[in-house]
Amino acid sequence: MDKYMVFAMNDCDWVAAKSEEEAKKWYEQYIPREEIEEYFQGEVSLDKQIVISVSKLTESEQDRVIKYLGDIIPHNEDSFNVSLIDWLKVMLSTPTDGPFIIASTEG
């Protein structure tokens, strides 16, 4: 697995990238650089727990969760907690061209 870090770009989006500058440059497709600099919150610990909504996962993503993390998807519930490091393993299990939003409070 490539060395990725996670950066809180603002109150909504966290971006996985290989460096802070790479995350900021990539995120400019969403908001102007001035806003990025204003709201940027820095690197997030990979030990941090996030909540994943099962209903928002594709069938392929659910299969990857089971393959890389085991059967942690709860039956009869729509969400589960996972650490960022484990979620990175799932997300990076398919090739990626660069930075990506790994967590967001936006739908």
Side-chain angles (χ1 to χ4, degrees), residues 25-80:
K25 183 173 176 148
W26 179 82
Y27 200 67
E28 284 181 288
Q29 67 184 303
Y30 299 105
I31 63 174
R33 183 63 174 239
E34 301 79 43
E35 287 184 40
I36 293 171
E37 296 298 344
E38 182 178 350
Y39 297 109
F40 185 76
Q41 297 175 11
E43 188 173 355
V44 179
S45 169
L46 295 180
D47 293 330
K48 182 103 172 140
Q49 294 283 310
I50 59 174
V51 178
I52 302 297
S53 175
V54 177
S55 62
K56 293 188 179 183
L57 296 176
T58 65
E59 189 173 318
S60 171
E61 288 170 332
Q62 289 181 29
D63 291 344
R64 289 185 356 234
V65 167
I66 292 167
K67 180 177 180 181
Y68 289 95
L69 304 179
D71 193 15
I72 67 168
I73 296 176
H75 305 289
N76 303 325
E77 291 185 39
D78 185 51
S79 63
F80 61 94

